[in-house]
Amino acid sequence: MISSLYLVTVVTMTCIYIILASGLNIITGYAGQPNLGHAAFFGIGAYASALLTTKAGLSFWAALPLAILITAVVGLALGVISLRVRDDFLAITTIGVNFVVVSVFLYFTFFGRALGLGGIPRPTLFGYNLQKPQYLVLVLAVVALVMALCWVFSRSRLGLMVTAVREDEIAARCLGLDVTRLKIIAFVLGTSLAGLAGSLYAHFMTFISPYDFAFPVSITIMCMVVLGGAGTLWGPVVGAVVLASAPELLRFIQDYRMLVYGSLLVLLMLFQPSGLLGMGSAFAGRELRLAARARGRVNQGG
Amino acid sequence: MADTIFTVRSVTKAFGGLTALKAVTLEVGREEIFAVIGPNGAGKTTLFNVISGVYRPDEGEIYLAGRPLHGLTTHRIARLGVARTFQITRLFKQLTVLDNVVLGFGRGDIDPRGLVGGARRPAEVERAKELLAAVGLKDSAGLTAGTLAYGDQRRLELARAMAMDPTLLLLDEPCAGLTHHEALELAALIRRLKDSGVTVVLVEHNMYVAMGVADRVAVLDHGEKIAEGSPEAIQRDPVVIEAYLGRGEAGEDRA
Ligand SMILES: Nc1ncnc2c1ncn2[C@@H]1O[C@H](COP(=O)(O)OP(=O)(O)OP(=O)(O)O)[C@@H](O)[C@H]1O
Ligand SMILES: [Mg+2]
């Protein structure tokens, strides 16, 4: 039977994946920039927070914002360097970043090498040490905050501009949009959220190792975004819930997890390539459905 | 010609071995409608791409109201007041028709207030609807841009360009895909734009519209300007007739 503590773990991990997928969604879904190394930023946030608390003696509450800041700075630096290149290069670059970051964690004693870092403290609140169930409440509150931020972003002028960049870069430039800057802004926002997720993860697990942030994790996050519907507010949430919690709760498919993921994605690409909540989906708004249907008829040539 | 507001001076652009523009020089007067015509592959679209910064000129200079545009990035050129449409439409297809126009306002300025406020200010929505009405898309504001018929997509591009409140408007075959009646309406709209203070450079294959609406016409052939003058003079110019008839496509209208 599923113990309640186990359930707490599954829900917390699902929440962390919601934050990760929502961050990637800003970069890939709204801005249209392929990032196949999102887990690297997850890892940077986790390691930063772990080191700041275990080695620098900071509290969780001080380490969390600093971890976000550190991840954002790394995201900014990588964004400035790699977003100048073409989209297909960016995909390759971000994969490379993921491998480099994991290697750094693996090969420097400072980062605990293959053993990882342990003894990461749980946060204390009003002198009270948060255990897993209380920590889940904190994580849920953070998820609510993150979704509120994503909502604000999705309906802001900035969000509209970033989406225009995804739709047609040259047209966006000709309207005066600073495309490079908008891409970098989206990249920094998305990686900051990954840093936040990393910090939450480190202090939940109390122990982290390099492989927690390896390339397959990036792919899993990307699958969540694509499954739920890239460029929609709730798509990444749905994707994260389905892919993070379903295999855990439905134990019988556990052994076939990757098989099920793979089949799911193939089916999705065949029948609903814009994701469960994307254009043309039965779950999407009526207007979007009509748009998708009409799209099939309209000659868009020129 | 009134005082010059827009100058293209000896602009050259080559793609590998193909010289698409050879030392092209144009001087366009303030609030003038200037047509650029020429056979397929003459370099008309390349000229627009070079002016708007999509391509960098290999040589030559471009000035708008005395300011150099050559060497600037595309978005800087746009911010200086150059708006354009595309021969092959480039809309934000998954966005609404209204949002396509709204994105033209402000010339891409990332206003920090835009972070928290809604994507469109009420005044912008009003203005966008006026612009849509002006191009004949009054009832389409809420549609997804990609679902519009081809002619409507071109009109939307025009409305989006107008939203930038440009000093210089570059129109690349705005009448392609329009019926004769629609083309005449568009010609009237272009004249109204001129009257409102916009300088228009127009590439057009529909000779009826180009000759009807333009104050002056330049003819490109194989990347070279072979003639320039009033529409009447151009229509009589034997060099121009030769360039067109030589390939048997005078006044041919293409979608
Ligand atoms: N990006 C590019 N790379 C290589 N060659 C190009 C490029 N853009 C244009 N050309 C070439 O430059 C020449 C001029 O093309 P351009 O599109 O400017 O002609 P045009 O006058 O607009 O023709 P049309 O009337 O068919 O639109 C053509 O030979 C074209 O093939
Ligand atoms: Mg052309």
Side-chain angles (χ1 to χ4, degrees):
Chain A
M1 273 287 86
I2 298 169
S3 79
S4 61
L5 196 60
Y6 178 70
L7 192 65
V8 166
T9 302
V10 172
V11 176
T12 306
M13 281 313 297
T14 304
C15 286
I16 287 170
Y17 271 115
I18 288 175
I19 299 171
L20 287 167
S22 295
L24 182 60
N25 187 40
I26 292 178
I27 299 169
T28 302
Y30 288 105
Q33 303 307 302
N35 172 6
L36 290 172
H38 204 55
F41 302 97
F42 181 34
I44 291 167
Y47 272 80
S49 208
L51 290 168
L52 286 168
T53 46
T54 58
K55 300 220 165 130
L58 294 185
S59 77
F60 164 81
W61 305 104
L64 177 92
L66 278 175
I68 297 172
L69 189 69
I70 289 167
T71 315
V73 169
V74 177
L76 176 68
L78 286 171
V80 168
I81 297 164
S82 59
L83 286 167
R84 292 173 186 281
V85 298
R86 293 194 344 247
D87 289 5
D88 38 353
F89 289 141
L90 182 66
I92 309 284
T93 310
T94 50
I95 294 174
V97 165
N98 205 156
F99 280 98
V100 168
V101 165
V102 170
S103 305
V104 167
F105 293 158
L106 268 176
Y107 294 113
F108 289 95
T109 330
F110 182 68
F111 295 108
R113 307 185 69 165
L115 287 178
L117 298 171
I120 306 163
R122 287 262 162 66
T124 48
L125 189 61
F126 308 123
Y128 185 78
N129 210 7
L130 297 187
Q131 291 310 304
K132 279 193 170 181
Q134 294 93 324
Y135 193 79
L136 173 56
V137 176
L138 172 72
V139 170
L140 283 170
V142 173
V143 166
L145 192 71
V146 165
M147 291 319 295
L149 278 173
C150 290
W151 178 76
V152 167
F153 173 81
S154 72
R155 58 185 302 283
S156 71
R157 182 60 153 260
L158 179 68
L160 186 63
M161 286 178 166
V162 161
T163 314
V165 169
R166 173 194 76 199
E167 291 290 294
D168 195 315
E169 265 187 42
I170 289 181
R173 285 208 165 93
C174 289
L175 291 185
L177 273 64
D178 187 341
V179 165
T180 308
R181 175 181 283 189
L182 286 163
K183 284 184 190 174
I184 291 171
I185 291 173
F187 201 71
V188 170
L189 284 176
T191 52
S192 303
L193 286 183
L196 167 66
S199 176
L200 290 176
Y201 177 79
H203 296 273
F204 178 72
M205 300 304 283
T206 70
F207 169 81
I208 55 175
S209 83
Y211 299 108
D212 299 350
F213 314 104
F215 181 57
V217 179
S218 292
I219 296 302
T220 303
I221 303 166
M222 184 58 90
C223 287
M224 290 169 174
V225 173
V226 172
L227 173 72
T232 65
L233 179 62
W234 296 106
V237 178
V238 171
V241 168
V242 171
L243 290 188
S245 67
E248 303 286 346
L249 299 177
L250 309 172
R251 296 298 293 268
F252 59 91
I253 67 162
Q254 191 72 292
D255 296 341
Y256 310 102
R257 188 174 164 146
M258 279 304 159
L259 186 68
V260 172
Y261 272 30
S263 321
L264 219 60
L265 276 177
V266 170
L267 287 176
L268 193 75
M269 286 302 129
L270 285 175
F271 298 109
Q272 181 53 37
S274 56
L276 292 178
L277 299 190
M279 281 238 177
S281 159
F283 304 109
R286 181 172 165 275
E287 197 251 322
L288 281 182
R289 269 201 319 280
L290 291 177
R293 213 174 299 146
R295 176 179 303 251
R297 295 194 302 261
V298 173
N299 167 25
Q300 303 185 343
Chain B
M1 189 180 76
D3 55 331
T4 301
I5 188 167
F6 178 59
T7 309
V8 173
R9 191 176 298 150
S10 305
V11 163
T12 296
K13 175 73 192 173
F15 299 105
L18 181 109
T19 309
L21 293 174
K22 286 179 206 151
V24 171
T25 294
L26 303 173
E27 296 222 329
V28 180
R30 193 179 292 276
E31 293 169 34
E32 190 174 32
I33 300 177
F34 191 96
V36 177
I37 64 169
N40 292 148
K44 307 178 296 291
T45 297
T46 303
L47 176 67
F48 276 14
N49 282 333
V50 166
I51 296 169
S52 58
V54 175
Y55 298 152
R56 266 171 197 243
D58 298 334
E59 274 167 55
E61 293 160 0
I62 302 167
Y63 296 93
L64 179 66
R67 280 182 153 133
L69 301 185
H70 50 278
L72 297 185
T73 54
T74 307
H75 72 270
R76 296 217 155 277
I77 292 172
R79 287 175 186 188
L80 289 175
V82 178
R84 70 171 290 185
T85 65
F86 297 88
Q87 183 173 359
I88 298 164
T89 55
R90 286 185 167 272
L91 290 170
F92 308 122
K93 285 190 177 146
Q94 293 198 43
L95 301 183
T96 63
V97 167
L98 185 82
D99 280 346
N100 269 270
V101 178
V102 165
L103 280 160
F105 294 129
R107 292 183 188 166
D109 188 25
I110 303 175
D111 185 344
R113 281 170 301 171
L115 283 171
V116 279
R120 3 184 141 71
R121 286 192 285 277
E124 289 179 329
V125 173
E126 281 314 300
R127 179 82 188 113
K129 285 185 174 161
E130 284 169 28
L131 290 169
L132 286 172
V135 298
L137 288 175
K138 194 158 131 271
D139 302 320
S140 307
L143 297 180
T144 306
T147 66
L148 293 181
Y150 186 60
D152 287 347
Q153 296 202 11
R154 308 194 132 270
R155 294 176 219 245
L156 176 53
E157 275 209 344
L158 180 58
R160 182 175 70 180
M162 284 159 64
M164 291 171 69
D165 191 16
T167 307
L168 176 69
L169 178 60
L170 309 172
L171 302 176
D172 200 346
E173 302 201 19
C175 293
L178 300 190
T179 65
H180 185 64
H181 176 71
E182 290 171 329
L184 291 184
E185 279 180 356
L186 191 76
L189 175 63
I190 293 170
R191 270 196 215 96
R192 285 204 298 280
L193 282 171
K194 165 195 162 123
D195 293 339
S196 72
V198 183
T199 303
V200 180
V201 179
L202 168 82
V203 166
E204 189 50 68
H205 271 276
N206 183 331
M207 284 305 143
Y208 190 82
V209 170
M211 295 301 176
V213 83
D215 299 308
R216 279 188 314 133
V217 180
V219 186
L220 286 186
D221 187 30
H222 290 301
E224 277 179 289
K225 187 172 83 175
I226 57 167
E228 183 180 319
S230 69
E232 298 75 32
I234 291 295
Q235 277 164 309
R236 274 177 285 143
D237 191 328
V239 178
V240 177
I241 294 166
E242 155 80 34
Y244 270 90
L245 295 186
R247 289 177 204 76
E249 52 188 17
E252 203 175 294
D253 199 358
R254 298 164 315 118

